[in-house]
Amino acid sequence: MSTVSDSQAPFFPPIALGCMSLPESFSEAEKVLLKAVDSGISFFDTADLYQKGKNELNIGRALRYRRSDLILATKVGNKWNPDGESWSWNPRKEYIVQALEESLKRLQTDCIDLYQLHGGTLDDPWEEILETFELLKSQGKIRAFGISSIRPNVIRNLLAMNPPATIMMQYSPLDRRPEETVFPLLEETTTRVLVRGAFAKGILIDKPLAGFLDFPEEKVGEIKAEIQESGFSPEAVLIRFGLSEKAVSSLVVGASSVEQVEKLQKAVEECPSIPGELITRLKEKLPKNHYKDHR
């Protein structure tokens, strides 16, 4: 991928490596990160909250020589409290500016490709937040901004004020809440969704069956069986499911080992061969679920 110029918003590849579950050990994290790069992944998503900054430190150190070919995304807003055991929400300008400088140092870069607010409610000072992001863009310290939020009311409000480049939210066969309002809303805009939770906490891959949102274990089992009996790897099916939505640009998929990256690479290669009919059948298995709050 060519280097993104400072004046452009970044291009978002269909797969990003979600770095939250990376090993805390640098040597182990480095193996996972370099394997991802060698597998063709060029998009990495982290947050200053993860491992109290160690996550960003490991990414910056491991990828510093490949930086010009990569897209780095991180998040801001959750501030560790002095006790080191909890965090507080702080979306104010002073904190965002300070936190960005610290993230830049840890990531060993002079510009973040995608800087995301790590949450957000209607009560937040959105004019101040958006002015801060625009200031950081004008300074060349970030290329684009996004938010990580599942709240439809927040998303509508933000689109009316200053549409972000991306919105990160959960989406899978067991969590189709974005289909009701958010996806149709975003399809007609330039804002795109970064999907997290595409594997439904691993329940649809290899984790034990369990209920999910409003769906009891029995219903979850029906979806899992459909996927398992499809003849394709579950990872490939779920990637195809997420990317089939027009509003979705990328799936952020976590990996904590080299083996998981290898499975992800194989799933991405397999994905184009999965028929659309299978995705349709999965959607017909369960009714759409809806957001109960923040509508």
Side-chain angles (χ1 to χ4, degrees):
M1 190 189 77
S2 60
T3 304
V4 180
S5 75
D6 287 347
S7 62
Q8 295 175 314
F11 162 77
F12 301 109
I15 298 295
L17 187 74
C19 297
M20 182 175 69
S21 57
L22 282 178
E24 197 160 341
S25 157
F26 171 71
S27 61
E28 293 303 309
E30 181 182 41
K31 291 175 185 175
V32 177
L33 291 164
L34 294 184
K35 179 62 180 178
V37 173
D38 291 342
S39 300
I41 292 174
S42 60
F43 186 8
F44 295 82
D45 177 76
T46 181
D48 57 6
L49 184 73
Y50 302 160
Q51 299 164 345
K52 299 178 182 177
K54 184 71 182 297
N55 200 274
E56 288 184 331
L57 277 170
N58 284 340
I59 293 168
R61 184 178 170 191
L63 301 180
R64 63 193 183 280
Y65 298 121
R66 317 232 187 166
R67 175 67 183 99
S68 62
D69 298 320
L70 305 177
I71 291 176
L72 294 183
T74 192
K75 309 181 195 74
V76 67
N78 291 305
K79 181 180 181 181
W80 281 102
N81 293 324
D83 62 13
E85 301 296 328
S86 61
W87 58 82
S88 303
W89 179 241
N90 189 343
R92 308 304 306 216
K93 176 181 179 179
E94 182 179 6
Y95 177 68
I96 292 174
V97 170
Q98 170 196 335
L100 173 65
E101 293 299 330
E102 294 171 359
S103 287
L104 289 170
K105 290 176 184 175
R106 287 191 291 261
L107 289 166
Q108 298 193 33
T109 186
D110 57 3
C111 181
I112 302 294
D113 297 301
L114 177 64
Y115 202 40
Q116 303 160 93
L117 192 68
H118 207 169
T121 71
L122 285 180
D123 296 328
D124 288 329
W126 283 104
E127 288 188 5
E128 178 181 333
I129 292 167
L130 294 172
E131 286 175 3
T132 303
F133 282 137
E134 289 300 331
L135 172 65
L136 297 174
K137 283 172 64 177
S138 71
Q139 293 174 341
K141 294 181 178 180
I142 68 173
R143 294 197 174 102
F145 76 90
I147 64 168
S148 178
S149 176
I150 62 172
R151 297 177 168 94
N153 56 6
V154 169
I155 293 167
R156 280 193 297 269
N157 178 60
L158 189 55
L159 289 175
M161 296 179 71
N162 186 353
T166 61
I167 297 171
M168 182 178 285
M169 56 176 43
Q170 296 166 210
Y171 183 62
S172 74
L174 299 179
D175 187 352
R176 293 169 56 202
R177 292 175 294 176
E179 289 183 21
E180 180 190 9
T181 301
V182 178
F183 283 174
L185 188 63
L186 296 182
E187 283 179 3
E188 306 306 318
T189 74
T190 58
T191 299
R192 284 296 169 260
V193 173
L194 306 183
V195 166
R196 61 182 176 87
F199 295 171
K201 299 181 179 178
I203 294 173
L204 296 178
I205 303 289
D206 53 11
K207 294 290 194 301
L209 268 182
F212 196 96
L213 294 178
D214 294 336
F215 298 123
E217 184 176 314
E218 177 187 0
K219 291 296 183 181
V220 173
E222 292 178 11
I223 287 284
K224 187 169 185 176
E226 184 83 32
I227 293 171
Q228 299 284 347
E229 295 166 8
S230 69
F232 300 97
S233 72
E235 292 87 349
V237 172
L238 294 171
I239 289 171
R240 176 78 167 81
F241 185 95
L243 292 176
S244 67
E245 287 290 331
K246 180 182 175 183
V248 173
S249 71
S250 315
L251 267 56
V252 180
V253 182
S256 58
S257 67
V258 167
E259 291 73 24
Q260 288 181 351
V261 174
E262 290 172 343
K263 288 184 72 175
L264 177 59
Q265 179 186 16
K266 291 178 182 176
V268 171
E269 293 170 352
E270 184 183 8
C271 191
S273 63
I274 295 173
E277 291 81 1
L278 174 57
I279 306 306
T280 301
R281 288 204 307 273
L282 289 175
K283 290 187 174 183
E284 291 172 347
K285 277 281 182 182
L286 294 176
K288 293 181 185 179
N289 34 18
H290 304 294
Y291 291 110
K292 294 183 173 62
D293 303 313
H294 311 291
R295 295 179 59 87

